Amino acid sequence: MPELRHPTVAQIRKIHLEVLARQGGADGVREEALLESAVNAPQASMMGLPVFTDPIEIAAAYLFYLCRTRSLTGTNVSRSPHVWHF
């Protein structure tokens, strides 16, 4: 299996801007620390091993944390899956 690439905060923000350009809304970040936490959470490890290993689990973790933190403004939870066109 090829090595998985995790999106960065900058990539998530770029995707957010693309979604806003298509669907409208105000650009902004409610709390930068929340966004960083949401992007980094699926990359967590315990005792040197990744917590999430299956690509589906990793994708679900990104969706969960990005939706839960609601760190990006101008969107609603229904738009969060757009990140997976990445």
Side-chain angles (χ1 to χ4, degrees):
M1 176 184 295
E3 184 178 338
L4 296 173
R5 293 181 350 194
H6 293 275
T8 64
V9 171
Q11 290 170 321
I12 297 295
R13 290 186 82 170
K14 182 178 177 188
I15 293 166
H16 176 64
L17 289 174
E18 290 173 9
V19 170
L20 292 176
R22 291 183 193 162
Q23 299 182 3
D27 178 30
V29 175
R30 283 189 177 90
E31 180 78 37
E32 188 71 32
L34 285 176
L35 179 58
E36 291 173 5
S37 176
V39 172
N40 291 324
Q43 301 174 42
S45 63
M46 184 172 22
M47 297 190 304
L49 299 172
V51 174
F52 303 103
T53 56
D54 181 72
I56 303 291
E57 284 182 334
I58 295 168
Y62 277 109
L63 288 172
F64 174 79
Y65 289 110
L66 287 170
C67 290
R68 183 167 184 170
T69 62
R70 300 196 59 191
S71 54
L72 298 170
T73 62
T75 62
N76 58 40
V77 176
S78 66
R79 291 185 186 173
S80 298
H82 282 74
V83 74
W84 300 111
H85 290 263
F86 162 70

